[in-house]
């Protein structure tokens, strides 16, 4: 019978290459799309043509598009809707992770998104089913039996099939499968139309593939390429090679997740006795079960296992019925893509979800407080507070102490200065005019600790991203702290002039009191000296009272002032310590904690998208 060929259609507009740059520019929480894009159809936003309404397509969202494409007279199925959600989540996951994960980890996900986008543009009314098998298994004979004509060459020469051949059961006059065949790369000379009118197979595009174990490498490459694109696969085995290791290990095990779109056919049963055929079928089911392939038995979803004889036609009607049910559901493409998403998420799991299925704790309030406490010690905040308290107390003593004690301290300071000893500490926690010294080892230990705690329970790439973010901030943190402390009010040259808070009003009263008591001492002493030289004085007890009262009153007043100054001194020290703590905590938050929190937030978003893409947390 002469081959029936079709005229090569004009190439359709190629699908846009997948680009997740839109994800990087995704709207922030609370933002809404521009008014000129809200509610507009797909073609209005992107300037691209939609497929004809007569050809419903799989409802898979394109990059940043608002809704899946489907026809009004045939809404998307539940499988299509579920797939749309999972693909959108996977696209978001890739966009969030591409700068954090190794590029090789996302290659498969990017390829799948490209394939899903390409399949989205093609009609869902057609289902592509490939017949694959080893040399001599009878693939082409079964293909011809399904088509009802000699459309694919078959014979004893090996390999017989060099190029994939297609047979199409048209779904309708207004619907054609040319775009689908173009995507599969089937040349026009290899396209056939079914000679058997079978309403149950309308919308089927059946492919006869070359041998997967062909000696020609180009044949094997063609098989691998088409197996990645078709919606379903019929694996044909024969009684001699049904347990072939290449088939089971390289293909069937890899397609274990695609059981719902897989049919395994034992061909050439006409060569076997009934008992032998049943024994081989049982052994074949056992091998499939060992490879993790779910079998569609007892009404449960899974791979179909049939026995046929393409030569005599035994079992072919049952195979037609099984394939017809798959085509009629119009969900094979969605189920195939869903199985592909399962495989991609299963391989992405180690870099997206840690062994602990619970969400990581991240930066806890305790770890934040400990980090800020370590930074406070790094800038010497507690010591500076104590020094400020002591400095304020010394100022109080010098202002309110006895004149004789003040004179003694001034003389001691002068002698210490002559010996080259360092000057006294100021009320601000350091030498006059100098900020506290920043301890870099303490800062490094603080960053190391908070990064390790934040990265706990994270997958390795994300734990490394958290540590990198922390150490990038740690490199600038010491200099930022020193600059912030140097710019603090009261530090600098003017600090030597005004080393403490404003003078309290009661200091003036105490100074006047000390002056009066000093005057009383001097007056009583002079009065007594005058009496000692023989000059008459009135009331001898009066000068003694002045001298004794002044001598005892001055230390007593100084002691009272010392007790009164403890509260303000402590408050001043605490204020200075809190000021240093705020400076240290502010620098630490902006340079270390906020970048770490941003990485943790990004990971949480990736983890949420992974769970959505995987269809649930358990993807093992």
């Amino acid at each position: 019978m002469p081959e029936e060929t079709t005229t090569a259609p004009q190439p359709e507009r190629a699908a846009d290459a997948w680009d997740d740059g839109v994800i990087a520019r995704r709207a922030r929480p609370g933002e809404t799309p521009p008014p000129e894009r809200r509610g507009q159809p797909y073609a209005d936003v992107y300037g691209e043509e939609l497929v004809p309404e007569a050809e419903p397509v799989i409802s898979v969202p394109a990059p940043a598009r608002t809704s899946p494409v489907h026809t009004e007279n045939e809404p998307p199925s539940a499988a299509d809707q579920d797939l749309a959600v999972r693909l959108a989540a996977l696209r978001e996951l890739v966009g969030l992770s591409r700068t954090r994960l190794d590029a090789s980890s996302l290659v498969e996900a990017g390829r799948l998104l490209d394939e899903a986008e390409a399949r989205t543009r093609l009609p869902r009314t057609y289902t592509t089913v490939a017949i694959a098998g080893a040399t001599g298994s009878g693939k082409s004979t079964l293909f011809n039996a399904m088509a009802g004509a000699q459309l694919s060459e078959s014979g004893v020469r090996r390999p017989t099939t060099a190029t994939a051949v297609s047979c199409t059961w048209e779904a309708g006059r207004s619907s054609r499968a040319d775009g689908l065949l173009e995507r599969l790369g089937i040349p026009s000379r290899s396209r056939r139309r079914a000679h058997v009118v079978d309403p149950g197979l309308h919308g089927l595009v059946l492919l006869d593939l070359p041998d997967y174990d062909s000696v020609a490498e180009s044949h094997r490459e063609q098989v691998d390429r088409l197996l990645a694109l078709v919606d379903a696969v019929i694996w044909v085995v024969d009684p001699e090679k049904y347990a072939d290791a290449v088939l089971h290990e390289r293909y069937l095990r890899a397609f274990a997740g695609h059981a719902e779109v897989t049919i395994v056919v034992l061909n050439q049963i006409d060569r076997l006795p009934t008992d032998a055929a049943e024994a081989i079928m049982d052994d074949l089911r056992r091998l499939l079960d060992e490879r993790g392939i779910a079998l569609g038995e007892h009404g449960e979803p899974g791979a179909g296992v049939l026995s046929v004889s393409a030569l005599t036609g035994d079992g072919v009607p049952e195979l037609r019925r099984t394939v017809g049910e798959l085509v009629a559901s119009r969900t094979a493409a969605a189920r195939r893509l869903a199985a592909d998403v399962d495989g991609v998420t299963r391989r992405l799991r180690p870099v997206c979800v840690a062994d602990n299925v619970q969400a990581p704790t991240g930066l806890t309030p305790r770890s934040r407080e400990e980090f800020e406490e370590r930074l406070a010690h790094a800038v010497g905040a507690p010591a500076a507070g104590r020094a400020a308290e002591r400095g304020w107390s010394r100022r109080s003593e010098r202002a309110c102490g006895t004149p004789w004690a003040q004179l003694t301290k001034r003389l001691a300071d002068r002698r210490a200065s002559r010996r080259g000893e360092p000057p006294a500490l100021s009320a601000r926690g350091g030498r006059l005019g100098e900020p506290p010294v920043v301890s870099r080892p303490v800062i490094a230990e603080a960053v190391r600790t908070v990064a390790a705690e934040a990265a706990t329970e994270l997958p390795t790439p994300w734990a490394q991203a958290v540590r990198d973010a922390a150490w990038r901030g740690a490199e600038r943190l010491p200099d930022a702290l020193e600059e912030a402390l140097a710019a603090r009010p009261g530090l600098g040259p003017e600090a030597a002039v005004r080393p403490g808070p404003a003078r309290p009003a009661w200091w003036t009263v105490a100074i006047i009191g000390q002056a009066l008591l000093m005057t009383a001492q001097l007056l009583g002493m002079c009065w007594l000296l005058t009496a000692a030289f023989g000059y008459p004085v009135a009331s001898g007890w009066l000068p003694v009272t002045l001298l004794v009262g002044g001598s005892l009153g001055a230390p007593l007043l100084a002691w009272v002032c010392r007790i009164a100054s403890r509260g303000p001194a402590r408050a001043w020290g605490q204020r200075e310590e809190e000021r240093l703590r705020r400076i240290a905590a502010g620098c630490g938050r902006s340079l270390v904690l906020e970048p770490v929190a941003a990485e943790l937030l990004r990971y949480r978003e990736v983890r949420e998208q992974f769970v959505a893409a995987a269809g649930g947390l358990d993807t093992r």
Side-chain angles (χ1 to χ4, degrees), residues 163-517:
T163 304
V165 179
S166 70
C167 180
T168 303
W169 282 258
E170 297 291 351
R173 293 183 179 180
S174 61
S175 177
R176 299 178 61 84
D178 294 337
L180 197 58
L181 294 173
E182 287 290 338
R183 172 177 177 258
L184 296 174
I186 306 299
S188 299
R189 65 180 182 277
S190 299
R191 302 177 187 178
R192 312 286 189 267
R193 289 183 181 176
H195 288 66
V196 176
V197 179
D198 188 346
L201 297 181
H202 283 178
L204 170 64
V205 178
L206 191 64
L207 302 180
D208 181 19
L209 303 186
D211 304 331
Y212 66 75
D213 59 349
S214 173
V215 295
E217 184 177 354
S218 61
H219 294 183
R220 299 194 300 270
E221 292 176 353
Q222 188 178 171
V223 170
D224 293 342
R225 181 182 65 83
L226 288 173
L227 287 177
L229 298 177
V230 296
D231 302 329
V233 182
I234 299 175
W235 295 99
V236 181
V237 298
D238 58 70
E240 285 83 10
K241 294 190 291 185
Y242 72 90
D244 180 44
V246 176
L247 170 66
H248 286 271
E249 297 300 327
R250 181 178 179 183
Y251 291 103
L252 291 182
R253 186 185 293 274
F255 274 76
H258 301 73
E260 293 187 21
V261 289
T262 299
I263 302 174
V264 181
V265 174
L266 175 64
N267 194 16
Q268 304 175 8
I269 60 170
D270 57 299
R271 299 166 46 196
L272 301 172
T274 303
D275 294 342
E278 292 179 354
I280 291 178
M281 286 291 290
D282 291 340
D283 194 41
L284 178 59
R285 291 189 180 94
R286 178 187 62 81
L287 292 173
L288 295 176
D289 184 67
E290 290 177 354
R291 268 63 180 181
I293 301 175
L295 301 181
E297 298 176 342
H298 310 293
E300 296 189 2
V305 183
L306 305 174
S307 60
V308 303
S309 173
L311 190 61
T312 64
D314 292 341
V316 174
E318 183 180 0
L319 177 59
R320 283 175 176 272
R321 186 165 52 254
T322 302
V323 175
E325 292 174 356
L326 187 65
V327 173
S329 68
R330 295 188 178 181
T331 60
R335 286 148 68 182
R336 166 60 196 267
L337 289 173
D340 289 339
V341 174
D342 288 340
V344 168
T345 53
R346 184 167 54 251
R347 285 178 281 278
L348 283 176
R349 182 186 177 95
V351 296
C352 292
V353 179
D355 295 335
N356 184 2
V357 298
Q358 299 299 326
T361 55
L363 283 174
T364 62
R366 181 187 58 81
S367 62
R368 290 174 178 269
E369 292 175 0
E370 290 180 354
F371 175 71
E372 294 177 359
E373 182 65 24
R374 288 189 177 96
L375 289 187
H377 283 277
V379 299
R386 292 191 295 270
E389 181 179 349
R390 291 194 300 268
W392 204 93
S393 298
R394 281 194 298 271
R395 290 185 60 198
S396 176
E397 291 179 4
R398 292 193 176 185
C400 306
T402 63
W404 305 111
Q406 294 184 37
L407 180 61
T408 302
K409 289 181 180 179
R410 291 182 183 276
L411 294 176
D413 289 343
R414 184 173 298 179
R415 287 194 298 270
S417 178
R418 291 175 180 174
R419 291 194 297 267
E421 296 179 359
L425 295 177
S426 73
R428 291 196 180 267
R431 295 182 181 182
L432 294 178
E434 295 184 3
V437 179
V438 175
S439 176
R440 294 174 183 262
V442 176
I443 292 177
E445 179 63 23
V447 173
R448 184 181 299 108
T449 302
V450 74
E453 292 182 358
T456 302
E457 300 176 352
L458 291 180
T460 301
W462 292 97
Q464 185 61 43
V466 167
R467 287 191 291 267
D468 291 343
W471 284 111
R472 281 194 299 269
E475 293 176 355
R476 296 181 294 151
L477 184 55
D479 294 336
L481 286 173
E482 290 177 353
E483 292 176 3
L485 292 173
R488 186 163 56 95
L491 291 177
E494 71 278 5
V497 179
R498 295 188 297 112
R503 180 191 295 252
W506 61 269
W507 280 14
T508 303
V509 177
I511 291 172
I512 294 174
Q514 289 288 1
L516 293 175
L517 292 173

